[in-house]
Amino acid sequence: MKKLFRILTLSLFLSIGLGCIDGVEVELWGECYNVETTTFLNFSYQDDSDYPPLYGEIPPEIGQLVNMTDLYLGGNELTIIPPEIGNLVNLQSLYLYGNQFTSIPSEIGDLVSLRTLDISDNQQLIGEIPSEIGNLTNLEVLILHDSFFTGLIPGSIGNLINLVHLELDHNQLTGQIPSEIGNLINLNHLGLYVNQLSGQIPLEIWNLTNLNSLVLLDNQFSGQIPSEIGNLVNLEYLYLGFNYFNGSIPSEISNLSNLRELILISNNFSGEILPYLTGMNNLIFLVLGGNNFSGQVPIEIGNLIYLEEFNLWGNNFSGQIPNEIGNLVSLQRLWIDGNNFSGQIPESLGDLENIYTINISNNQFSGLIPDSICDLGLDWSQWDNEVTNSLQNNNFCPPYPNCLTEDDIGYQDTSECLECSESQGDLNSDTEVNIYDIIIMVNCILNEDCDECSDINEDGSSDIFDIINLVNLVLGQ
C-alpha cells in the first residue's frame, strides 16, 4: 500500500508540478532540489525499488545542479540525455547504465571532473563512441559494454591517462585497436571482447605493465603474439580465444608468473607452449583447445596444484601423460581429446578426487585402463556441453575395469594388443614364472621397450617396483 501511494503521488507531482522556488530550487521527477546544496542524486531503479522506473527524457533542468558530484540514473527507461548534462562540471560519478538512450551528446566531454562513467547496457544506442570522451582526463573507470556502439575506437581515448578500468565489450566496434591505448599506463583492466575488431594487437598494448586482465575474446584479431607479452608481469587473466592469431607463443610468456586464467581456445597457434607454463603456480584455468599446439606434457605440470581446468582438445600434442598428473588435486575438468597422445594412462588419474569430467577420446592411448579410474565415480555415458566423459577411439586393451560398460569403452583398436600369459609374470609365456622372466623384465626396462605384460603392479609403467613384485612372485612359489 505504501509503495502504491508513493507511485500515485509521484505521478501526480509529475503532472501538476510542485511549485519549486525559482532561482533556488529545480524540480526533477516530482521533487524540488536546491541548486546550491544538491550534490548527490540516486534514482537508479532496481526490482525492489519502492518507486517506478523513470522514463522519457532526463529533464534539461538537471543542468542547473552545478554542484552535483554524483548522479545515479541506472536501470530505468530513460531515452534522451539532454545537452545540459554538460553543465555539471563538478560531477565525479555518472551512472546511466541499463536505459534506452539512443545517442550520447557531445557535451558529455565537458564533464572534466568525472572519475566514473557508466553508460553500459543501453541497447538502443546508435553510432560511434563520441571522441569528446577523450576530454575526460580525470576518468578512472569507463564502462560502455552492451551498448551496440559501432565504428572505430576513438584515438582520443588515449588521453585518459588516469584510466584504470576500461570496458568496451559486447558492442559492434570495428577496425584496429588504436595505438593511443598504449598511453593508458595506469590501466588495470582492458575488456574489448565480443566485438568485430581486427588486425594485429598494437605493440603499445604489451607495455601496459599494470594490466591485471586483458580480455580480447571473440573478435577477428590476427597476427602473432610478440615476445613483449613477457612485459605484462602483473597479468592474472589473459583471454585471447576465438580469434585468428597464429604462430607460436613466445617463451617470454613464462614471465607471467601471476597468471590465473589463460584462455587461447580456437585460434591458429602452433608450436610448443606447455614447458613455458609450468612455473605459473597460481594457474586455475588453462584452455588451449582448438589450435595446432604440439609437444609433450612435461612432468612439471604436476606443480600446478590449483589447476581446475586442463583443456587441450583438438591439438597435436603427443607422448605420454606423466604420472604427475595425479598431483593436480584441484582439477575438475580434463579435456585432452583429439590429440596424438599415446602409451598407458597413469594409475594416478584415480587421485583426482575433485574431477567431474574427463575426455581422453580420439588419441592413441594403449595398454590397460587402470582400475583406479573406477575410484572417480564418473558417469562415462554423460555427454553434454558441461560434462563430457569419454574413453572412445583409442587403442585400449582388455580386460577393462568392471565399472565400465561396453558403451562406456566404445570403439577401441585392439589390433596391437598383446595377450599376456594367464600366469602373472610369465613374460616368455613358457607357463612358468622364474629367473628367465626376471631377466626379460630387467632388459626391457633398461632398453625402455617394455609392454603392458611387464606392468606387474598395473600402475601404467614398468619399473623397479615391477621387478620387486616379480622377484616376490618367483620366491613365493
Side-chain angles (χ1 to χ4, degrees):
M1 181 63 70
K2 181 180 178 181
K3 182 175 181 180
L4 178 60
F5 177 76
R6 174 78 182 269
I7 294 173
L8 293 174
T9 303
L10 180 57
S11 300
L12 179 63
F13 285 162
L14 289 173
S15 63
I16 66 175
L18 285 177
C20 300
I21 303 173
D22 288 342
V24 177
E25 297 177 321
V26 62
E27 181 184 339
L28 297 172
W29 297 297
E31 295 190 31
C32 296
Y33 295 93
N34 188 284
V35 171
E36 293 294 328
T37 62
T38 300
T39 60
F40 177 84
L41 278 182
N42 185 0
F43 275 95
S44 287
Y45 179 77
Q46 297 177 348
D47 290 339
D48 59 351
S49 298
D50 60 354
Y51 49 85
L54 305 176
Y55 59 90
E57 180 182 12
I58 298 175
E61 291 81 7
I62 203 168
Q64 298 178 39
L65 301 178
V66 293
N67 293 316
M68 188 154 52
T69 58
D70 301 276
L71 178 58
Y72 292 70
L73 298 176
N76 286 288
E77 298 177 12
L78 297 166
T79 56
I80 298 176
I81 304 172
E84 288 81 2
I85 198 87
N87 297 338
L88 306 181
V89 293
N90 292 301
L91 205 60
Q92 296 183 20
S93 300
L94 178 57
Y95 291 89
L96 301 175
Y97 62 86
N99 281 283
Q100 299 177 14
F101 298 123
T102 57
S103 64
I104 300 175
S106 60
E107 287 79 4
I108 203 83
D110 296 334
L111 305 179
V112 293
S113 297
L114 268 186
R115 293 184 178 180
T116 300
L117 176 59
D118 185 348
I119 317 180
S120 62
D121 198 18
N122 279 277
Q123 300 186 7
Q124 306 298 319
L125 273 173
I126 299 174
E128 301 183 353
I129 298 173
S131 61
E132 289 81 4
I133 278 182
N135 299 338
L136 309 179
T137 54
N138 289 303
L139 207 59
E140 297 175 0
V141 176
L142 178 58
I143 304 177
L144 303 179
H145 65 76
D146 289 277
S147 292
F148 284 84
F149 285 112
T150 57
L152 306 177
I153 300 174
S156 62
I157 212 164
N159 298 337
L160 309 181
I161 57 174
N162 292 301
L163 204 62
V164 174
H165 191 96
L166 177 59
E167 293 186 28
L168 303 180
D169 55 276
H170 287 89
N171 284 291
Q172 298 179 14
L173 299 172
T174 55
Q176 299 189 15
I177 300 175
S179 60
E180 289 85 352
I181 280 188
N183 299 337
L184 310 182
I185 58 174
N186 294 301
L187 203 61
N188 179 270
H189 172 82
L190 177 57
L192 303 179
Y193 53 104
V194 193
N195 278 287
Q196 300 170 29
L197 298 168
S198 59
Q200 298 190 26
I201 307 303
L203 282 175
E204 291 80 1
I205 291 286
W206 309 113
N207 292 322
L208 299 177
T209 55
N210 287 308
L211 272 180
N212 173 268
S213 51
L214 177 59
V215 188
L216 306 180
L217 282 169
D218 204 355
N219 278 283
Q220 299 170 23
F221 293 121
S222 59
Q224 300 189 12
I225 304 302
S227 60
E228 286 80 3
I229 192 175
N231 297 338
L232 306 184
V233 293
N234 291 303
L235 206 62
E236 295 186 21
Y237 305 93
L238 178 58
Y239 285 55
L240 302 180
F242 301 105
N243 281 288
Y244 298 100
F245 293 116
N246 58 57
S248 59
I249 298 294
S251 61
E252 286 80 3
I253 197 172
S254 62
N255 296 348
L256 311 186
S257 58
N258 294 307
L259 209 60
R260 296 168 61 85
E261 299 184 10
L262 178 59
I263 312 296
L264 303 181
I265 188 172
S266 294
N267 279 282
N268 295 311
F269 290 123
S270 58
E272 291 202 51
I273 183 174
L274 293 179
Y276 308 145
L277 309 181
T278 55
M280 298 179 181
N281 295 332
N282 297 312
L283 206 59
I284 296 175
F285 292 104
L286 177 56
V287 182
L288 307 179
N291 283 284
N292 295 305
F293 287 121
S294 57
Q296 300 189 12
V297 178
I299 61 174
E300 292 82 5
I301 204 73
N303 298 336
L304 307 183
I305 58 174
Y306 299 110
L307 200 64
E308 295 180 8
E309 178 164 355
F310 191 28
N311 188 328
L312 307 181
W313 65 265
N315 279 282
N316 295 313
F317 291 110
S318 59
Q320 298 190 27
I321 300 299
N323 197 56
E324 287 74 10
I325 193 113
N327 297 344
L328 306 183
V329 293
S330 300
L331 200 63
Q332 298 177 19
R333 185 193 301 261
L334 176 62
W335 284 6
I336 58 175
D337 50 302
N339 282 281
N340 296 309
F341 289 118
S342 59
Q344 292 185 272
I345 57 175
E347 184 86 17
S348 63
L349 208 64
D351 297 333
L352 303 178
E353 57 187 27
N354 289 301
I355 201 80
Y356 70 83
T357 174
I358 294 179
N359 189 349
I360 62 174
S361 63
N362 296 293
N363 279 286
Q364 301 296 321
F365 288 117
S366 59
L368 299 175
I369 300 174
D371 289 331
S372 63
I373 207 165
C374 297
D375 298 335
L376 301 176
L378 299 179
D379 179 0
W380 290 96
S381 64
Q382 189 168 356
W383 186 288
D384 56 46
N385 290 333
E386 289 297 322
V387 178
T388 301
N389 298 322
S390 180
L391 303 166
Q392 300 184 21
N393 293 315
N394 280 288
N395 305 324
F396 289 123
C397 297
Y400 301 116
N402 293 331
C403 65
L404 299 177
T405 68
E406 186 174 337
D407 288 340
D408 295 339
I409 296 163
Y411 172 76
Q412 303 293 332
D413 183 354
T414 59
S415 61
E416 299 297 323
C417 291
L418 294 175
E419 292 189 17
C420 299
S421 172
E422 292 183 2
S423 298
Q424 188 180 35
D426 181 16
L427 302 184
N428 59 1
S429 299
D430 64 355
T431 70
E432 297 181 5
V433 180
N434 52 36
I435 186 63
Y436 297 111
D437 298 297
I438 296 175
I439 294 172
I440 293 172
M441 170 77 77
V442 171
N443 285 334
C444 81
I445 291 175
L446 292 176
N447 296 324
E448 298 183 350
D449 62 355
C450 294
D451 55 43
E452 56 265 31
C453 299
S454 304
D455 185 13
I456 306 299
N457 60 3
E458 298 181 354
D459 65 351
S461 63
S462 299
D463 49 34
I464 185 63
F465 298 107
D466 296 292
I467 295 176
I468 294 171
N469 285 338
L470 184 53
V471 169
N472 287 335
L473 285 173
V474 172
L475 295 177
Q477 295 183 117

